Amino acid sequence: MAEILDGKALAKKIRKELKLEVEELKQKGIIPKLAVIMVGDNSASQVYVRNKSRACEKVGIEFEEFLFDKDTLEEELINTIDNLNKDEKIHGILLQSPVPKHINIQKAFERISPSKDVDGFNAVNVGKLATGQDAFISCTPYGIVKILEEYGIETEGKNAVILGRSNIVGKPMIQCMLNKNATVTVCHSRTKNIEEITKNADILIAAIGKPKFVTENMVKTGAVVIDVGINRLEDGSLCGDVDFENLCEKASYITPVPGGVGPMTIAMLLNNVVKAAKLSLK
Ligand code: NAP
């Protein structure tokens, strides 16, 4: 029976540590502050932003929302980012995705100052991660690394298979696992014989957004299974990209959805805001 990787509990522990760091920073006259920009009224985004705001509040990080109408021009968004870059009271800037189609989101990510890019989506931070330099690391992969470390899961020389190659999860996850000396294979929608590849995984990380895609026959006994997916089923319940119930018997460790990777993503965002605030002291 697999051990459950409790991301919720680990996130709570990290928040407690961050709260102390925030108090120390406040004594030095710095109040860490996150600016969140949202364009349009995507209901899932509204929930994510609310969760981030609550999490900030819990550790004493200030939070300010910048809400824009769905018809907002890219230029106006870019101007706001420029102003936030200049604002010394703001340490982290986050642009919530998705944005309306007329806005080039990568262009907007590039406009965020690398020193305030707490999501780690700016090409400077992506490049630093890829070249082994200190960087703001995309929060979901970073959270997964922290889970593996917390549970003492060996990565060196292990076969890590990543399902999904998005810029925000799959690709930075490749770098994170390489940096941890795993042998990495990445699969995507054009990959042939996925099952043959996943069966070789010592560590399988699923980030494709397809409910219960990873089934028992795709995983070898004793594999570590990390489920990034968040999918809403017709009955309103949430499930991951992994068939959790059936894999519990076969895996050695597994993350639940909810309560696995999700809370760690937010915890690492807070971590990155505190890191940015500390860097601003220098
Ligand atoms: P995305 O941008 O839609 O990317 C999905 C990736 O999966 C793509 O690389 C795609 O391949 C690949 N893919 C799709 N169908 C596939 C299939 N049948 N077989 C193999 N690969 C397939 O998604 P994302 O933003 O990375 O998010 C993935 C999931 O994680 C979603 O459920 C999202 O809600 C969730 N998520 C969770 C967190 C969290 O904190 N827990 C954070 C971020 C995202 P191509 O590149 O070939 O199209």
Side-chain angles (χ1 to χ4, degrees):
M1 192 73 181
E3 182 173 345
I4 304 296
L5 297 167
D6 190 345
K8 195 173 169 189
L10 178 55
K12 193 173 173 189
K13 184 172 139 189
I14 291 172
R15 280 201 305 271
K16 206 170 157 191
E17 291 162 3
L18 288 172
K19 196 171 178 192
L20 295 177
E21 288 193 53
V22 170
E23 276 162 21
E24 273 174 37
L25 278 166
K26 283 184 179 168
Q27 277 163 15
K28 290 177 186 157
I30 302 248
I31 305 170
K33 183 167 180 181
L34 173 66
V36 171
I37 305 169
M38 194 162 76
V39 189
D41 53 6
N42 182 295
S43 57
S45 293
Q46 286 169 346
V47 175
Y48 292 142
V49 170
R50 204 179 315 133
N51 290 343
K52 286 168 189 171
S53 152
R54 284 192 192 134
C56 281
E57 199 184 325
K58 276 186 192 159
V59 300
I61 293 174
E62 283 192 0
F63 181 95
E64 190 171 350
E65 271 180 77
F66 295 81
L67 304 178
F68 290 96
D69 186 83
K70 65 177 178 8
D71 299 321
T72 300
L73 297 177
E74 187 176 280
E75 198 186 353
E76 197 182 334
L77 178 66
I78 295 290
N79 281 340
T80 302
I81 293 174
D82 286 346
N83 289 335
L84 292 170
N85 282 337
K86 281 185 231 142
D87 187 339
E88 286 181 2
K89 288 204 169 82
I90 301 285
H91 303 97
I93 304 170
L94 182 155
L95 172 60
Q96 184 67 42
S97 69
V99 294
K101 286 206 165 48
H102 67 275
I103 292 174
N104 178 340
I105 195 161
Q106 194 58 40
K107 185 175 165 193
F109 287 149
E110 295 313 326
R111 198 74 177 205
I112 296 174
S113 162
S115 62
K116 298 190 179 187
D117 172 34
V118 286
D119 253 342
F121 295 161
N122 183 296
V124 171
N125 283 308
V126 172
K128 283 186 172 179
L129 174 65
T131 50
Q133 301 178 65
D134 184 42
F136 285 109
I137 304 174
S138 175
C139 302
T140 302
Y142 195 15
I144 292 170
V145 167
K146 291 287 174 193
I147 292 177
L148 295 172
E149 288 174 354
E150 173 74 8
Y151 283 84
I153 294 168
E154 183 62 76
T155 51
E156 187 157 322
K158 301 289 179 192
N159 285 335
V161 174
I162 299 162
L163 298 183
R165 57 172 169 181
S166 69
N167 287 345
I168 66 165
V169 188
K171 284 182 194 159
M173 196 71 241
I174 298 170
Q175 285 304 332
C176 288
M177 294 311 283
L178 277 179
N179 291 352
K180 291 189 69 63
N181 293 326
T183 304
V184 183
T185 310
V186 59
C187 301
H188 45 78
S189 66
R190 319 286 164 85
T191 303
K192 306 252 188 285
N193 303 326
I194 284 196
E195 195 180 312
E196 294 308 311
I197 299 167
T198 56
K199 270 185 192 158
N200 275 323
D202 300 308
I203 302 169
L204 178 63
I205 300 165
I208 59 174
K210 300 263 181 272
K212 302 188 186 184
F213 179 89
V214 178
T215 48
E216 205 186 343
N217 57 321
M218 294 172 73
V219 176
K220 77 172 173 191
T221 303
V224 176
V225 179
I226 307 286
D227 191 353
V228 181
I230 303 177
N231 307 292
R232 196 164 289 282
L233 300 177
E234 274 180 15
D235 66 3
S237 63
L238 284 184
C239 85
D241 290 347
V242 166
D243 187 351
F244 180 83
E245 280 77 22
N246 288 319
L247 257 82
C248 266
E249 294 289 328
K250 216 171 178 186
S252 56
Y253 293 92
I254 191 165
T255 57
V257 176
V261 174
M264 284 303 293
T265 298
I266 297 189
M268 298 332 288
L269 170 67
L270 303 178
N271 176 82
N272 284 352
V273 177
V274 172
K275 176 177 170 163
K278 279 197 224 158
L279 287 173
S280 75
L281 271 174
K282 291 185 181 163

